[in-house]
Amino acid sequence: MQVSGQKELKEVLRRDIDVRDLAAEMKSLGVGGLGNELNHIFSMLVVPRFIPRAITREIRFKNKQGLILHGPPGTGKTSIARAIAKILNGKLQVVRGPEIFSQLTGSSEAKIREVFYSAINDLEAKGEESPLHVIVFDELDSISRQRGTNPFNTTGDRIVNQLLTMIDGYTSLSNILLIGTTNRIDLIDTALTRPGRVELHLKIGLPDEAGRLEILRINVKRLQWRGMIDPHLELQKIVTDTEGFSGADLEALIQTAYCNAMDRHVKSDISKTDWAAIIVVAPDIYRAVVALRTAKDCSAKG
């Protein structure tokens, strides 16, 4: 599909980007370690939004309204959702699943309705010129579990019913994109994940060796700018020792390594410490690797 000019591009995307290299755009937003997953997201969510609205009305084409990012904790699902919102130039709204629940009857359903009010008001006021609203439901499984599993507490069932009503109740609500993140997609009500609702499901797994290297490069970039990391440090050696680490683990690794470097650097009189002179070296990294791997092993045993 060809875009005739920059006007159309700016209407869909947040700025002029190379639409053929979405991975580079995501890296500029601090999200790395992804491969073919980005191509799938782009082809399903971004490309169709270039189609002129007159054509979509004529052929009754409906943009995908929902995406579920699922996978182990710490793989960057919420960060990916935020980056998609920025790329699509959307109004971002992040909803923490557990915050929806309330002890007051009807209050939880009211909170679900409130989530959609801004998009509905924009659509009524601006029509097809309405900006895209990206609604991220973090920990989606906490508010969308299979109905009927707890006959003694129907609050969860009512929340799911209300969410389905908001998705289906406004057939012309074309200005929303729902993104759910979850560690347990198997717990989500199947009515929510069927075609026409939140139908795209993308597994975000632990990064492979190439992905870990990319994530490490993103996380050391600012230290490199400040000259606060050994320029001779070979990240590839660290990648080999961090198999099974998630993106969050790798971010914590660099933070811990910096703490190790501070510990070496700080003298008895902290007020006279030259903080700008702190340099992270290989031993600081390897100490952090051992500490994090020990913590992960203890967590797994516990």
Side-chain angles (χ1 to χ4, degrees):
M1 179 175 295
Q2 294 183 347
V3 181
S4 58
Q6 291 301 310
K7 179 181 178 182
E8 291 86 348
L9 191 65
K10 291 177 181 177
E11 286 179 352
V12 178
L13 306 177
R14 67 187 180 98
R15 55 186 170 83
D16 296 342
I17 66 172
D18 184 356
V19 296
R20 297 164 297 180
D21 191 0
L22 189 61
E25 180 67 10
M26 295 289 272
K27 280 190 285 187
S28 75
L29 296 171
V31 179
L34 298 173
N36 293 330
E37 298 96 330
L38 291 176
N39 296 329
H40 183 71
I41 291 174
F42 188 80
S43 62
M44 292 292 102
L45 297 181
V46 181
V47 172
R49 297 181 187 277
F50 285 112
I51 302 174
R53 291 189 176 100
I55 295 179
T56 59
R57 283 196 306 269
E58 183 178 347
I59 65 176
R60 296 184 179 179
F61 178 83
K62 185 178 180 182
N63 285 321
K64 302 294 185 184
Q65 283 190 302
L67 166 69
I68 294 179
L69 301 172
H70 62 99
T75 50
K77 297 181 291 294
T78 303
S79 297
I80 293 170
R82 290 177 179 273
I84 292 173
K86 289 183 179 180
I87 289 174
L88 288 174
N89 199 27
K91 287 186 175 181
L92 176 64
Q93 183 179 4
V94 179
V95 181
R96 311 291 180 187
E99 296 176 356
I100 294 294
F101 283 96
S102 174
Q103 294 181 346
L104 299 177
T105 302
S107 181
S108 297
E109 297 94 303
K111 288 182 179 181
I112 290 291
R113 292 193 295 271
E114 289 173 4
V115 169
F116 291 83
Y117 280 166
S118 179
I120 293 172
N121 291 336
D122 264 356
L123 190 62
E124 291 177 347
K126 303 175 183 178
E128 292 185 348
E129 300 302 318
S130 169
L132 179 67
H133 289 251
V134 181
I135 303 173
V136 178
F137 284 97
D138 202 13
E139 300 182 55
L140 178 63
D141 56 282
S142 65
I143 60 169
S144 61
R145 299 207 172 191
Q146 190 69 42
R147 289 165 292 177
T149 55
N150 187 355
F152 302 103
N153 186 349
T154 61
T155 301
D157 291 3
R158 295 198 305 271
I159 291 175
V160 174
N161 290 335
Q162 184 65 72
L163 184 56
L164 294 175
T165 298
M166 298 309 297
I167 295 175
D168 294 341
Y170 295 87
T171 55
S172 60
L173 196 59
S174 58
N175 64 336
I176 64 167
L177 172 63
L178 304 179
I179 303 179
T181 68
T182 178
N183 304 329
R184 295 291 306 275
I185 191 172
D186 56 299
L187 298 178
I188 296 176
D189 194 296
T190 53
L192 183 64
T193 58
R194 73 159 174 78
R197 292 173 177 164
V198 192
E199 63 183 278
L200 297 177
H201 310 150
L202 186 61
K203 183 176 182 179
I204 308 297
L206 294 173
D208 58 13
E209 189 168 307
R212 294 197 301 276
L213 180 60
E214 188 174 284
I215 293 170
L216 282 171
R217 284 174 174 167
I218 290 173
N219 280 285
V220 302
K221 185 178 295 184
R222 291 189 179 276
L223 290 175
Q224 289 174 331
W225 288 345
R226 295 293 302 271
M228 300 177 74
I229 192 166
D230 183 357
H232 303 294
L233 183 66
E234 296 184 31
L235 293 179
Q236 186 62 54
K237 291 183 178 180
I238 301 169
V239 167
T240 305
D241 295 330
T242 53
E243 184 176 356
F245 277 43
S246 67
D249 292 332
L250 294 170
E251 181 179 1
L253 171 66
I254 301 304
Q255 297 291 327
T256 303
Y258 182 68
C259 289
N260 291 339
M262 285 193 296
D263 184 55
R264 285 190 302 99
H265 191 82
V266 170
K267 307 298 188 297
S268 57
D269 188 353
I270 296 180
S271 62
K272 296 182 180 180
T273 299
D274 183 1
W275 300 103
I278 295 176
I279 297 180
V280 176
V281 295
D284 299 322
I285 298 279
Y286 293 128
R287 279 179 59 195
V289 170
V290 172
L292 288 173
R293 190 169 291 284
T294 301
K296 285 169 67 68
D297 290 343
C298 292
S299 177
K301 292 178 181 178

